[in-house]
Amino acid sequence: RASRERCQAVCNRLPTPEPQHRGGMIVAGSEHLIIPKRVLLFTVVATSSVLGGVVVSNHFYARKVEAFLAAKTKSVKNQNKQLEKEQEDYRDLFNKLTHQLDQDAGGQGTDRELSKESVVSFHQLATRLLEGLQSMQDLLEEKEFQ
C-alpha cells in the first residue's frame, strides 16, 4: 500500500500534457495526423469540383475562341473575294481606257483634236476608275485595321 501511495504522489507531481486540438477535428499524433473521413471526403469533393470547373471553363472558352476565329476567317474570305472582284473590274476599266487612248492616238494621226463624245466618255471612265481606286484604298485600310 505504501508503494501505491508513493506511485500516486509521483504521478501527481508530473505535469500532464494538455491535449492539442488543431482545427477542432484533426488530432495530432506523435508521428502522424488523424483526419476524420468527413474532412477528407469534403476536401476531395471540393478539390475535384474546382478542377472539374476549370476543365469545363476552359472547354467553353476554347469553343468561344473557335467560333470567333471561324467568323473572322469567313469575314476575311468574303472581303478577299470582294477585293478580287473589284480588282478585276478596275483592270477591265483600265484596259478600256488604254484601248481608247490607243484609238485616239492612232486614229487621228497628227491631228489630235478629240471629239466631244470621246472626251466625255474618257473622262467618265477615268472618273469611275479614280472613284473605284479610292474605295479600294479605303477598304484596304479598313482591312488593315482589323
Side-chain angles (χ1 to χ4, degrees):
R1 186 170 171 134
S3 67
R4 191 177 205 189
E5 288 177 8
R6 264 189 275 151
C7 188
Q8 264 190 349
V10 170
C11 285
N12 288 338
R13 282 187 274 156
L14 291 175
T16 58
E18 294 182 23
Q20 296 178 358
H21 292 288
R22 292 182 182 166
M25 299 186 81
I26 299 175
V27 179
S30 60
E31 295 184 19
H32 60 279
L33 292 176
I34 301 171
I35 301 174
K37 289 181 183 177
R38 282 191 301 182
V39 172
L40 183 63
L41 180 65
F42 178 76
T43 304
V44 169
V45 168
T47 303
S48 62
S49 298
V50 167
L51 292 176
V54 168
V55 169
V56 169
S57 172
N58 283 341
H59 176 72
F60 285 137
Y61 179 74
R63 288 275 176 117
K64 184 178 176 181
V65 168
E66 183 180 325
F68 172 76
L69 290 177
K72 190 73 164 176
T73 302
K74 186 177 179 181
S75 170
V76 168
K77 282 183 183 179
N78 290 338
Q79 287 181 352
N80 283 342
K81 285 180 185 177
Q82 180 183 0
L83 284 172
E84 288 172 359
K85 182 181 171 235
E86 287 181 4
Q87 181 184 15
E88 194 62 37
D89 291 344
Y90 297 135
R91 186 173 286 134
D92 291 341
L93 187 59
F94 182 74
N95 288 338
K96 283 181 186 178
L97 286 171
T98 305
H99 181 68
Q100 188 171 0
L101 280 174
D102 290 343
Q103 280 181 346
D104 290 344
Q108 298 295 332
T110 56
D111 186 18
R112 294 215 164 184
E113 291 182 23
L114 300 174
S115 68
K116 186 175 184 180
E117 291 176 9
S118 64
V119 170
V120 169
S121 173
F122 180 78
H123 182 69
Q124 287 174 346
L125 288 173
T127 304
R128 276 186 48 208
L129 178 65
L130 290 175
E131 288 172 356
L133 290 174
Q134 182 63 40
S135 69
M136 182 179 278
Q137 181 181 3
D138 294 342
L139 185 62
L140 287 172
E141 288 175 358
E142 178 183 322
K143 185 177 177 182
E144 182 181 327
F145 285 117
Q146 288 180 351

